[in-house]
């Protein structure tokens, strides 16, 4: 069991899954190892096989139709977003002959005005797309998220015919309860607490929960199930002892059974989310061992719960919820174990209360710091105020909010059966949530409510914390001082940051789909060329990719933002960056962008680099008006041509000596209208970086254009295929790294094409 769990958890770092053709030889090897009873190695091989088989089944799709058109029967299982005429939802394929393998899901985009509900079954005609998404440091890893939720493809709906409706009890409750709670101020929180539905959370609500470190309180997990189980156990045991005095343990058994069924029902209401599954399995294991009178340590129960979850869903290892949940339990067990060894429970009531209070505070401190650092690893930041906020609100939720919400739901359901509207319990629940809402709202306004961590400082910070904890709990002097060695990585990195000047500099071509965003970094300061696209009021690549990247590498000062031209795929994110960096100089020619400086030929120095604006000489509309910039350190050079086409290229050829560069960003994403033979020869780049989205609708980059660069021996790297591309320049020349091959070369970051899993 340990070998299986440890190997499954290590899958987060695997470079590839087991190829299909190796399954039979590995199974034969497993049989031999099992014969010789090498259990640890057997568990590891079973884990490798199970995760590989599971993933192959999920990501492969067989159809007689062309993969550009998919006809399936599927059920709507969740509504992601919905506005006046566009709907985003998750659908699950109906596969009658599949029982033990994962239920395949798709994320659909559907233009419709009809009323759509969870549980409806349609015959779908879809245009499928790969789950492959943009990949940058610090950014949201969409394809990893999709895999963890068993989503094997995205799709646009071409047509849909309603064939039936499968309304479960939970779906009926969700539909009715959403209407009943609509009049309350905290209806979104109540829906999350009762049914695990967070679809009504606004962006502001998510932000306040994140910055206060209280998101776990509205995700039905261990705390919620434990509270409900404990209350049901105490109430049922008290009732049975008053009803009849039993000589044996029948009353205890009855209370345990009631508690288990209550936890199971609550988990069902929550939709059996990952955190809920973990808590439910843990509770059932504990209760089951108590029923059968079998002793087991807390660590054994934790390992058993993890084993069951990874057997049911091995892809849960890709979910942040799994890591947060089991880390929380591990920290709780470590805190309790340490406290019990070093403290004894007092004899009188006052001493007992004082000891338990100290124990609770210790657990909350460990949870806040430990989960905060893990959150920094997973999300790039942590909440500074989470410690004191959780000390206040966790007891309130445990004693008041959660029991009150559950009792209110029962009263409301009974009233519905009798044809009455008994929602006064919800009024009390809403009132009990008011202090919580007020606290998290105030935290949102406080300084340091969310602190971003640079990637280079996160792991050293974790080691620094381990050093402090080890120094505090280790009693032997020689080992106590040895633990301080773990502080050195953080001190070393901080020392490097304090060194103000460096000869090396980086150019980052970010993966922003079919658009352009370049960040030049030197001496802890940044220079941005183009900002990617923005769509509507809710989506911007600047917010999705550029700002998280800047936070991850620790860039807090952006001196210049250059906008090549006003097309959305180049200028769409300017508003986000202007708000984030209000003191940055905006260099552009389009007046509607409100620049602080024009982009006509000139030369200036930035951080020891020479910046030369080569084009345009005058105001030009369209792609040929793109601002062309050359950056050089005297040894290495980069040319940033925006979307210039052949007219601008031939104009620039009048002074071709200025064009020769080591690295070139492909003009106009590799279009046929750019990269004329003469321009390609004049620049003669050793390295060509192509900003083109994966499987983009324009077919960029064009193969005949890429061949021109191959003919002069240019090395070609495409952002849509490799994710973020980082080129580092120094006195020895340049070297480049990519996200998929170097920064995170893991199996779930590879290119996924619809209908197949690449090994």
């Amino acid at each position: 069991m340990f070998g299986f769990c440890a190997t499954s958890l290590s899958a987060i770092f695997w470079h590839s899954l087991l190829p299909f053709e190796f399954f039979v030889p590995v199974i034969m090897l497993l049989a031999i190892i099992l014969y010789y009873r090498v259990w640890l190695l057997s568990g590891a091989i079973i884990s490798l096989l199970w995760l590989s088989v599971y993933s192959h089944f999920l990501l492969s799709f067989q159809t007689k139709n062309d993969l550009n058109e998919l006809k399936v029967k599927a059920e709507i299982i969740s509504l992601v977003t919905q506005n006046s005429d566009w709907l985003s939802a998750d659908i699950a394929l109906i596969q009658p002959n599949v029982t033990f393998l994962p239920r395949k899901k798709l994320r659909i985009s559907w233009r419709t005005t009809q009323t759509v509900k969870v549980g409806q079954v349609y015959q779908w005609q879809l245009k499928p797309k790969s789950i492959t998404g943009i990949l940058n440091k610090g950014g949201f890893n969409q394809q990893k998220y999709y895999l963890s939720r068993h989503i094997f493809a995205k799709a646009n709906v071409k047509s849909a015919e309603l064939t039936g409706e499968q309304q479960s009890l939970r779906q009926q409750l969700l539909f009715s309860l959403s209407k009943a709670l609509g009049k309350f101020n905290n209806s979104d929180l109540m829906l999350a607490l009762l049914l695990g539905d967070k679809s009504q959370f606004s962006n502001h609500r998510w932000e306040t929960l994140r910055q206060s470190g209280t998101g776990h309180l509205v995700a039905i997990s261990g705390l919620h199930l434990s509270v409900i189980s404990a209350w049901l156990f105490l109430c049922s045991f008290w009732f049975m002892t008053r009803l009849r005095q039993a000589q044996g343990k029948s009353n205890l058994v009855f209370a345990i059974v009631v508690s288990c069924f209550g936890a199971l029902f609550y988990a069902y209401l929550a939709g059996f989310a990952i955190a809920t599954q973990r808590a439910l399995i843990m509770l059932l294991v504990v209760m089951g061992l108590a029923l059968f009178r079998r002793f087991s340590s807390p660590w054994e129960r934790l390992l058993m719960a993890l084993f069951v979850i990874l057997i049911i869903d091995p892809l849960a290892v890709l979910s942040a919820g799994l890591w947060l949940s089991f880390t929380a339990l591990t920290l709780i067990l470590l805190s309790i174990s340490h406290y019990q060894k070093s403290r004894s429970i007092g004899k009188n009531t006052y001493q007992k209360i004082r000891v338990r209070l100290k124990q609770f505070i210790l657990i909350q401190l460990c949870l806040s710091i430990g989960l905060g650092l893990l959150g920094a690893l997973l999300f790039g930041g942590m909440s500074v105020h989470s410690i004191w906020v959780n000390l206040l609100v966790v007891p309130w939720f445990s004693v008041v909010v959660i029991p009150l919400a559950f009792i209110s739901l029962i009263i409301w359901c009974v009233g519905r059966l009798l044809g009455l509207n008994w929602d006064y319990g919800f009024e009390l629940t809403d009132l009990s949530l008011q202090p919580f809402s007020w606290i998290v709202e105030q935290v949102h306004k406080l300084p340091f409510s969310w602190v971003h961590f640079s990637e280079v400082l996160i792991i050293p910070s974790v080691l620094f914390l381990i050093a402090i904890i080890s120094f505090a709990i280790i009693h032997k002097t020689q080992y106590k001082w040895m633990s301080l060695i773990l502080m050195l990585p953080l001190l070393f990195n901080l020392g490097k940051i304090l060194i103000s000047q460096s000869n090396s500099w980086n150019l980052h071509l970010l993966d922003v789909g079919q658009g352009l965003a370049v960040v030049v970094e030197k001496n802890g300061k940044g220079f941005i060329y183009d900002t990617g696209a923005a769509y509507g009021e809710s989506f911007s690549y600047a917010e999705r990719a550029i700002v998280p990247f800047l936070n991850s590498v620790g860039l807090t000062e952006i001196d210049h933002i250059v906008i090549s031209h006003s097309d959305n795929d180049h200028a769409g994110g300017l508003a986000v960056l202007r708000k984030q960096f209000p003191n940055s100089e905006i260099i552009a020619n389009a007046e509607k962008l409100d620049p602080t400086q024009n982009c006509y030929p000139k030369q200036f120095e930035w951080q020891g680099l020479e910046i030369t604006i080569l084009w345009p000489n005058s105001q030009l509309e369209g792609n040929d008006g793109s601002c062309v910039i050359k950056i050089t350190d005297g040894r290495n050079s980069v040319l940033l041509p925006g979307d210039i086409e052949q007219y601008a290229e031939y104009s620039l050829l009048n002074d071709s000596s200025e064009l020769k560069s080591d690295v070139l960003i492909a003009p106009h994403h590799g279009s046929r209208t750019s990269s004329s033979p003469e321009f390609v020869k004049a620049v003669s780049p050793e390295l060509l970086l192509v900003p083109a989205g994966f499987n983009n609708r324009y077919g960029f980059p064009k193969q005949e254009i890429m061949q021109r660069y191959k003919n002069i021996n240019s090395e070609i790297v495409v952002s849509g295929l490799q994710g973020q591309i980082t080129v580092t320049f120094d006195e020895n020349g340049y070297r480049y790294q990519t996200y998929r091959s170097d920064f995170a070369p893991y199996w779930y970051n590879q290119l996924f094409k619809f209908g197949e899993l690449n090994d």
Side-chain angles (χ1 to χ4, degrees):
M1 188 163 62
F2 178 79
F4 180 91
C5 292
T7 305
S8 296
L9 292 177
S10 72
I12 200 81
F13 302 112
W14 293 358
H15 282 214
S16 67
L17 297 175
L18 186 68
F20 188 77
E21 56 269 21
F22 283 83
F23 282 5
V24 173
V26 171
I27 290 173
M28 294 173 64
L29 176 63
L30 176 62
I32 296 172
I33 295 173
L34 285 172
Y35 177 79
Y36 286 101
R37 299 183 180 182
V38 185
W39 304 122
L40 192 65
L41 184 57
S42 300
I45 294 177
I46 291 171
S47 170
L48 174 63
L49 276 169
W50 179 227
L51 179 58
S52 299
V53 169
Y54 198 93
S55 300
H56 275 279
F57 175 82
L58 176 67
L59 289 164
S60 61
F61 188 81
Q62 302 298 325
T63 176
K64 297 179 181 179
N65 302 320
D66 184 351
L67 287 179
N68 290 321
E69 183 177 304
L70 183 62
K71 294 181 179 179
V72 294
K73 186 177 183 180
E75 174 192 354
I76 296 177
I77 56 173
S78 69
L79 301 177
V80 182
T81 58
Q82 189 172 14
N83 54 35
S84 58
D85 58 350
W86 275 101
L87 168 76
S88 178
D90 290 340
I91 62 173
L93 301 187
I94 296 176
Q95 300 167 286
N97 298 323
V98 177
T99 305
F100 299 106
L101 286 168
R103 196 178 186 191
K104 296 185 177 184
K105 303 173 186 176
L106 295 96
R107 172 68 56 88
I108 61 167
S109 295
W110 186 12
R111 189 165 194 169
T112 181
T113 55
Q114 62 181 285
T115 302
V116 178
K117 295 186 292 184
V118 171
Q120 290 178 332
V121 178
Y122 288 83
Q123 191 68 41
W124 304 89
Q125 185 175 356
L126 307 169
K127 183 178 181 181
K129 299 184 293 182
S130 167
I131 62 169
T132 295
I134 65 169
L135 289 175
N136 301 284
K137 280 186 175 181
F140 175 64
N141 192 327
Q142 186 184 70
Q143 58 189 67
K144 180 182 174 184
Y145 169 79
Y146 281 156
L147 286 171
S148 71
R149 297 178 67 87
H150 301 173
I151 295 172
F152 75 100
K154 297 179 286 185
N156 290 324
V157 178
K158 299 176 72 173
S159 66
E161 180 183 351
L162 182 64
T163 60
E165 194 166 341
Q166 300 179 0
Q167 284 289 325
S168 65
L169 174 61
R170 179 177 182 270
Q171 290 159 0
Q172 293 175 21
L173 274 175
L174 182 59
F175 181 75
S176 301
L177 202 57
S178 298
K179 289 185 175 180
L181 296 178
K183 61 183 179 180
F184 298 109
N185 294 329
N186 296 293
S187 60
D188 55 344
L189 293 176
M190 286 191 278
L191 275 176
L193 285 172
L194 293 170
L195 298 175
D197 179 67
K198 296 181 279 291
S199 62
Q200 295 192 17
F201 280 8
S202 64
N203 290 335
H204 179 72
R205 177 72 85 178
W206 277 118
E207 190 71 10
T208 57
L209 292 173
R210 181 175 71 98
Q211 292 185 350
S212 60
T214 55
H216 65 100
L217 291 174
V218 294
I220 299 176
S221 57
L223 172 67
H224 307 74
L225 265 68
S226 298
V227 169
I228 293 301
S229 298
W231 278 102
L232 286 173
F233 177 85
L234 292 173
C235 292
S236 56
F237 187 73
W238 177 87
F239 175 77
M240 289 302 296
T241 53
R242 296 298 183 276
L243 184 66
R244 66 187 185 92
Q245 294 292 332
Q247 296 296 324
K249 294 189 175 181
S250 58
N251 288 348
L252 180 64
V253 170
F254 177 80
I256 290 175
V257 170
V258 170
S259 181
C260 287
F261 274 104
L264 187 63
F265 180 67
Y266 196 14
Y268 165 76
L269 292 180
F272 290 108
I274 290 292
T276 313
Q277 290 178 30
R278 183 270 307 163
L280 177 65
I281 292 171
M282 187 73 176
L283 278 171
L284 294 180
V285 167
V286 172
M287 297 294 187
L289 292 173
L291 277 176
F292 294 105
R293 302 180 184 179
R294 182 184 180 278
F295 173 78
S296 62
S297 70
W299 297 107
E300 187 179 2
R301 299 168 197 164
L302 183 67
L303 184 63
M304 193 176 298
L306 179 61
F307 174 74
V308 173
I309 286 176
L310 293 175
I311 283 289
I312 295 173
D313 180 13
L315 289 177
V317 71
L318 301 181
S319 168
L322 179 89
W323 292 90
L324 291 169
S325 297
F326 278 90
T327 300
L329 273 176
T330 302
L331 290 170
I332 290 172
L333 292 179
L334 284 172
S335 302
I336 293 174
S337 175
H338 174 70
Y339 200 88
Q340 287 178 342
K341 288 179 181 178
S342 58
R343 300 285 187 273
S344 58
I345 303 296
K347 295 182 179 180
N348 58 51
T349 303
Y350 171 74
Q351 289 177 328
K352 290 180 180 179
I353 293 174
R354 188 180 64 178
V355 168
R356 293 303 183 192
L357 182 60
K358 287 182 178 180
Q359 188 179 52
F360 171 76
I361 294 174
L362 175 66
I363 291 173
Q364 288 303 315
L365 286 172
C366 290
L367 284 175
S368 297
I369 297 173
L371 293 182
L373 288 173
L374 179 60
L377 280 169
L378 295 173
F379 311 119
M382 65 181 293
S383 170
V384 175
H385 302 287
S386 61
I387 297 176
W388 68 266
V389 172
N390 278 284
L391 284 173
L392 289 176
V393 299
V394 167
W396 180 252
F397 266 69
S398 302
V399 178
V400 178
V401 176
I402 297 174
L404 187 57
F406 204 71
I407 293 170
S408 301
L409 177 63
I410 294 173
I411 293 172
W412 179 79
C413 289
V414 172
R416 292 271 297 181
L417 292 174
L418 299 175
L420 302 172
N421 183 26
W422 289 353
D423 62 354
Y424 45 82
F426 291 136
E427 294 180 8
L428 293 175
T429 306
D430 182 61
L431 190 63
S432 70
L433 283 166
Q434 282 297 114
F436 170 74
S437 294
W438 183 84
I439 289 173
V440 297
E441 188 64 38
Q442 299 310 307
V443 169
H444 178 66
K445 302 174 184 177
L446 294 175
F448 307 111
S449 57
W450 184 260
V451 177
H452 294 284
F453 274 79
S454 167
E455 283 191 354
V456 297
L457 292 180
I458 292 176
I459 294 179
S461 298
V462 173
L463 294 176
F464 189 86
L465 178 65
I466 293 173
I468 294 175
I469 295 173
S470 301
F471 187 83
I473 65 176
I474 293 175
H475 299 294
K476 293 186 177 180
T477 306
Q478 61 270 35
Y479 297 119
K480 180 188 286 285
W481 291 103
M482 283 178 62
S483 66
L484 298 183
I485 296 174
L486 297 175
M487 293 183 176
L488 295 179
L490 180 62
L491 298 176
F492 176 75
N493 279 280
L494 290 174
K496 285 177 63 179
I497 292 173
L498 293 176
I499 298 175
S500 58
Q501 296 296 320
S502 173
N503 291 326
S504 66
W505 53 289
N506 297 315
L507 179 139
H508 310 279
L509 175 61
L510 301 187
D511 183 8
V512 290
Q514 189 51 41
L516 178 62
V518 176
V519 177
V520 181
E521 172 195 3
K522 189 177 183 188
N523 297 331
K525 296 188 177 182
F527 179 107
I528 293 178
Y529 182 88
D530 283 346
T531 63
Y535 302 102
E537 297 180 358
S538 60
F539 184 89
S540 168
Y541 277 112
E543 194 169 25
R544 173 84 172 271
I546 301 176
V547 172
F549 167 79
L550 296 174
N551 290 330
S552 75
V553 297
L555 277 178
T556 58
E557 292 184 51
I558 302 298
D559 295 327
H560 306 283
I561 300 175
V562 178
I563 305 298
S564 63
H565 61 303
S566 59
D567 284 2
N568 180 49
D569 60 330
H570 294 255
L574 178 59
V576 171
L577 293 181
R578 196 194 295 269
K579 182 179 179 180
Q580 188 78 14
F581 305 102
N583 297 323
S584 298
E585 182 181 51
I586 311 298
I587 302 176
N589 285 332
E591 291 185 5
K592 65 180 181 180
L593 300 177
D594 191 23
T596 54
Q597 187 180 148
N598 63 44
C599 199
Y600 296 140
K602 62 175 69 72
Q603 192 175 84
F604 61 94
E605 186 178 294
W606 175 76
Q607 297 297 316
L609 300 177
E610 187 178 280
I611 313 293
T612 304
I613 300 177
L614 302 175
W615 182 264
N617 294 317
S618 59
Q619 184 73 35
L620 287 176
E621 297 297 328
N623 291 336
D624 276 325
S626 295
C627 184
V628 179
I629 287 182
K630 184 176 180 179
I631 305 174
T632 179
D633 60 8
R635 295 176 301 273
N636 311 290
S637 55
V638 179
L639 187 65
L640 306 171
D643 274 359
I644 61 170
E645 298 180 341
Q646 293 188 13
Y647 170 77
E649 289 179 355
Y650 283 116
S651 299
L652 284 165
L653 288 173
N654 293 328
D655 190 2
S656 59
S657 61
E658 290 283 351
L659 296 180
K660 180 69 179 77
S661 301
D662 300 305
V663 180
L664 170 68
I665 306 294
H668 200 191
H669 317 283
S671 162
R672 290 192 185 97
T673 61
S674 306
S675 297
S676 60
E678 294 82 359
F679 180 81
V680 171
K681 183 178 179 181
V683 180
S684 296
E686 296 177 14
L687 177 64
L688 179 73
L689 307 182
V690 186
F694 177 71
N695 273 354
N696 64 84
R697 58 177 176 164
Y698 306 104
F700 294 158
K702 299 298 183 181
Q703 290 307 308
E704 61 267 36
I705 300 301
M706 294 301 99
Q707 190 59 48
R708 291 177 187 172
Y709 290 100
K710 291 178 183 177
N711 291 339
I712 62 169
N713 298 318
S714 296
E715 188 174 3
I716 301 171
V717 189
V718 183
S719 62
L721 300 179
Q722 289 293 339
Q724 171 197 327
I725 306 165
T726 293
V727 186
T728 301
F729 301 92
D730 55 30
E731 59 273 8
N732 298 318
Y734 70 85
R735 62 188 182 279
Y736 75 87
Q737 296 174 293
T738 68
Y739 193 94
R740 294 188 200 276
S741 300
D742 302 292
F743 299 130
Y746 310 127
W747 66 272
Y748 48 85
N749 284 336
Q750 66 187 14
L751 285 173
F752 293 107
K753 298 179 181 177
F754 174 68
E756 63 180 87
L757 170 63
N758 295 335
D759 296 311

